[in-house]
Amino acid sequence: MTGKFAMFHPEYGILISKVGFWSGNASEYMKDKINAKGEHMTEFVADYLMKYEINEELSYTISNIASALIILLISALSYFITRKIIVRILETFVAKTHSKWGMILVENKVLERVSAIVPIFVIHAFAPVFPAFADWIQRLAFCAFVIVILLAVDKLLSTVDDIYRNYEVSKERPIKGYLQVLEIIAYVIGIIVIISTLIERSPLLLLSGIGAATAVLLLIFQNSILGFVAGIQLTANNMVKLGDWIEMPKYGADGEVMEISLHTVKVQNWDKTITTIPTNALVTESFKNWRGMQESGGRRIKRAIYIDMTSIRFCDEEMLNRYRKIHYIQRYIDNKITEIEAYNQSMKMDLTDIVNGRHLTNIGTFRTYVDNYLKNHQKVHSSMTRLVRQLEPTEKGIPIEIYAFLSETDWAEYESIQADLFDHILAVVPEFDLRIYQNPTGYDLRRLHAGIDN
């Protein structure tokens, strides 16, 4: 074979000899043997066809096509055997050994990626069957080999990160950033090797040329390089993907990601406008991604109602008798009264003055009612945080904040359920002898002027 491309250069001698490709004159004997057998096979098929009065050119075309199909069949068969049999045997062995590292290798499908090397070897080995194209077939096979190795290295580095995360030190000293740098270096080296193979030049010569042009390339393709690197980071870190709901107030973005390109990310806002964000901005600046909420199956409610402080009081007997009729707090009131009476008796409190001892308040009873109401609501997520808490008093009254998660994440349905919840809560506030704080309106002033009591 007369090929003199980069993979047969002395610089590649050690690498090619280790991975099984021919280098220099080390395997000339084997090359000649396979070449002779390949030519013999094609000539045999062509001669056989010419016996049936098929012209010579068509006979050789058919024989080449038949040879190509046979080689493809052999490579497919070798891939099937490797992927479906050998890899499965290795995975079964790893499963039986219960090796944590081995299981992570299997889960990340490192062996499956490496198995793609086998059909590439087959195609490379049978390239001399087609003398006119053998040179290019072997170049392309070598490029495919490099690509498979790069993909396997990518998965292997991810496996290293997964294994490292099993150790406590990973929380203080993460290595994902360093592994990503190694990934970039590996891809750069792989691309240089592929290009040098295709153009039949030494990778060292290519590197020297790239070094001289680096400053100019960085200036011309600055935005493209930043977008490319940002795209890699977005993908590697799974920061954003198509269909994600993101918020980025600086760019006026609040909607679903509809396109991710080299330079821009397009977001369709909920008002159907489209915002274009530089891809690099998603890496260098902060944005909110709602994917976690959607995947968790719970959407948060965090809203407060303001209680007029002048309506807060201790509960008397008449109030407690009315509250006992409310289903969600019957048991609470009975238990609390028993607990409070036992405490007051043990402390020998003089209950002629209501200030002494412990007493139930209407606002505390109201908080318990709201908490039990949410607890029993079928649309409130039972396994996520649920709080009904009193915040610091303000000039608008005392905020009672509801902090809970709905099991419905769809926007329209979520808003409908949230509105129903607060409709009910606002409606029951007067039943606990409380008032909602509201600034005076024109209606209130007219009633005051008319001397009408509320």
Side-chain angles (χ1 to χ4, degrees):
M1 194 174 66
T2 60
K4 293 183 179 180
F5 52 90
M7 64 182 294
F8 292 143
H9 282 191
E11 292 91 342
Y12 286 96
I14 297 175
L15 172 63
I16 304 304
S17 63
K18 287 186 177 179
V19 298
F21 291 98
W22 295 306
S23 59
N25 296 319
S27 303
E28 286 298 328
Y29 175 74
M30 290 300 296
K31 287 161 56 182
D32 293 339
K33 291 261 297 182
I34 294 178
N35 195 2
K37 287 182 179 180
E39 292 178 357
H40 177 72
M41 181 174 70
T42 54
E43 289 177 1
F44 174 79
V45 175
D47 292 341
Y48 181 79
L49 292 173
M50 283 187 285
K51 289 180 181 179
Y52 290 91
E53 299 181 355
I54 299 174
N55 66 67
E56 183 177 352
E57 184 178 351
L58 181 58
S59 298
Y60 275 101
T61 301
I62 294 174
S63 66
N64 284 328
I65 293 174
S67 299
L69 291 175
I70 291 171
I71 293 170
L72 290 176
L73 180 62
I74 294 172
S75 63
L77 183 62
S78 65
Y79 179 70
F80 178 82
I81 294 172
T82 306
R83 177 77 175 268
K84 299 297 183 181
I85 299 177
I86 298 177
V87 171
R88 291 290 178 268
I89 291 173
L90 291 174
E91 290 177 352
T92 304
F93 174 76
V94 169
K96 288 182 178 179
T97 59
H98 301 289
S99 171
K100 185 181 294 185
W101 292 15
M103 291 302 297
I104 295 176
L105 279 170
V106 171
E107 290 172 1
N108 287 334
K109 299 182 179 180
V110 177
L111 297 176
E112 291 185 10
R113 291 207 172 179
V114 174
S115 65
I117 293 175
V118 176
I120 296 174
F121 271 114
V122 173
I123 293 172
H124 185 280
F126 281 96
V129 173
F130 311 98
F133 305 101
D135 195 40
W136 272 104
I137 291 173
Q138 290 186 331
R139 289 194 207 184
L140 294 175
F142 181 73
C143 292
F145 168 78
V146 173
I147 292 171
V148 171
I149 290 297
L150 289 176
L151 294 175
V153 168
D154 184 24
K155 282 294 185 182
L156 185 61
L157 291 175
S158 298
T159 302
V160 171
D161 186 48
D162 290 342
I163 293 172
Y164 182 71
R165 287 185 182 182
N166 291 321
Y167 298 96
E168 286 297 324
V169 68
S170 64
K171 297 178 181 178
E172 299 179 3
R173 302 178 185 274
I175 62 171
K176 188 169 185 177
Y178 303 110
L179 295 177
Q180 288 176 340
V181 172
L182 291 178
E183 286 180 18
I184 294 173
I185 293 173
Y187 277 107
V188 169
I189 294 174
I191 291 170
I192 291 173
V193 171
I194 289 172
I195 294 174
S196 64
T197 300
L198 293 175
I199 66 176
E200 230 176 341
R201 291 291 184 272
S202 169
L204 297 178
L205 181 63
L206 188 63
L207 276 173
S208 62
I210 291 176
T214 297
V216 178
L217 290 173
L218 288 175
L219 182 63
I220 297 174
F221 299 105
Q222 179 182 4
N223 292 331
S224 297
I225 293 171
L226 289 174
F228 175 71
V229 174
I232 293 175
Q233 290 178 311
L234 290 176
T235 303
N237 296 320
N238 197 22
M239 296 170 65
V240 67
K241 62 182 180 181
L242 294 178
D244 280 358
W245 171 13
I246 68 171
E247 280 187 52
M248 206 167 186
K250 179 179 178 180
Y251 294 91
D254 182 12
E256 289 189 358
V257 177
M258 58 182 298
E259 181 181 304
I260 302 175
S261 63
L262 179 63
H263 297 101
T264 59
V265 174
K266 290 184 179 179
V267 178
Q268 186 173 48
N269 301 313
W270 300 122
D271 59 1
K272 298 306 178 183
T273 59
I274 295 176
T275 300
T276 302
I277 305 170
T279 305
N280 186 51
L282 293 174
V283 176
T284 59
E285 300 177 23
S286 175
F287 69 95
K288 181 187 289 186
N289 192 330
W290 288 83
R291 190 201 314 164
M293 176 272 294
Q294 294 170 331
E295 292 177 348
S296 69
R299 188 165 180 177
R300 188 186 70 175
I301 293 176
K302 186 182 179 184
R303 184 186 293 184
I305 59 173
Y306 290 83
I307 303 297
D308 187 343
M309 286 186 283
T310 61
S311 65
I312 298 173
R313 66 190 65 181
F314 289 119
C315 295
D316 56 26
E317 285 297 324
E318 186 272 332
M319 294 168 66
L320 291 174
N321 289 332
R322 279 192 289 114
Y323 298 163
R324 278 195 180 96
K325 297 177 182 179
I326 301 174
H327 174 72
Y328 288 136
I329 55 174
Q330 283 178 347
R331 183 176 300 176
Y332 165 78
I333 291 176
D334 291 338
N335 292 339
K336 269 294 181 181
I337 289 176
T338 303
E339 177 188 332
I340 290 172
E341 287 179 350
Y343 172 82
N344 290 336
Q345 289 177 5
S346 65
M347 300 300 293
K348 299 180 180 179
M349 293 292 180
D350 180 9
L351 299 179
T352 56
D353 193 330
I354 199 169
V355 175
N356 296 327
R358 291 172 56 188
H359 302 276
L360 285 173
T361 61
N362 57 349
I363 192 170
T365 307
F366 170 71
R367 282 192 296 105
T368 302
Y369 169 80
V370 174
D371 184 56
N372 288 335
Y373 174 72
L374 295 175
K375 181 180 179 181
N376 289 276
H377 198 287
Q378 60 180 358
K379 291 296 184 179
V380 175
H381 209 298
S382 59
S383 61
M384 293 187 176
T385 304
R386 184 188 73 256
L387 293 173
V388 180
R389 57 178 182 168
Q390 183 182 127
L391 302 181
E392 183 179 357
T394 69
E395 68 278 5
K396 296 180 180 180
I398 294 183
I400 301 296
E401 184 182 75
I402 286 82
Y403 188 103
F405 290 83
L406 296 183
S407 57
E408 182 62 60
T409 60
D410 178 74
W411 188 13
E413 189 67 21
Y414 161 81
E415 292 293 349
S416 176
I417 297 170
Q418 181 177 229
D420 288 342
L421 287 174
F422 278 89
D423 288 347
H424 178 84
I425 292 170
L426 291 170
V428 301
V429 167
E431 301 300 320
F432 290 87
D433 303 285
L434 295 167
R435 290 190 300 272
I436 299 294
Y437 177 87
Q438 178 177 293
N439 285 327
T441 65
Y443 176 76
D444 297 321
L445 296 177
R446 285 195 299 270
R447 287 173 61 87
L448 180 64
H449 180 72
I452 300 174
D453 293 332
N454 188 13

